Structure formats: structure tokens, C-alpha cells
Amino acid sequence: MRKSKGSFPTIDSAFKMLYLATQEAQEKWNRNGVRNWSEIYPQLCIFFSEVMEKYTK
């Protein structure tokens, strides 16, 4: 029985791709900002009040 390899030959290559994709998304968010943030922020405060208090004080 022959084992087939997936898209990533090693787990390190999969993590590298994930890291690079995250960096690319972060750059895009920093350039463009988050759309509808004025609507998103109050909802985050409601659903995740304990977590948001920690970061907004």
C-alpha cells in the first residue's frame, strides 16, 4: 500500500503557509481598516463583555 502526500510535505511547510497567509491578511486589514467597525464593536462588547473589558480599559 502506497501512502500519498498531501499538499504540504511537512507540518512545518503547512505552518509556514498559514503564517504567511495571516501576515498578508493583517497587512490588508491595516491598509483598509475594518468595514462597519462602528456596528461590529458594540456587538463584540455585548457578546464578549469580559474579554473586551480586559482590552478596552
Side-chain angles (χ1 to χ4, degrees), residues 9-57:
T10 66
I11 192 73
D12 287 338
S13 62
F15 279 122
K16 182 176 182 179
M17 198 280 308
L18 183 61
Y19 172 78
L20 292 172
T22 303
Q23 293 299 311
E24 185 178 314
Q26 187 174 10
E27 287 177 21
K28 182 180 176 182
W29 292 339
N30 287 338
R31 274 194 316 268
N32 299 331
V34 178
R35 278 191 266 165
N36 301 324
W37 182 248
S38 60
E39 296 174 20
I40 296 169
Y41 182 76
Q43 292 178 20
L44 289 173
C45 289
I46 292 168
F47 289 110
F48 303 103
S49 60
E50 294 174 6
V51 175
M52 294 298 285
E53 285 176 11
K54 183 177 168 182
Y55 293 104
T56 56
K57 288 185 178 186

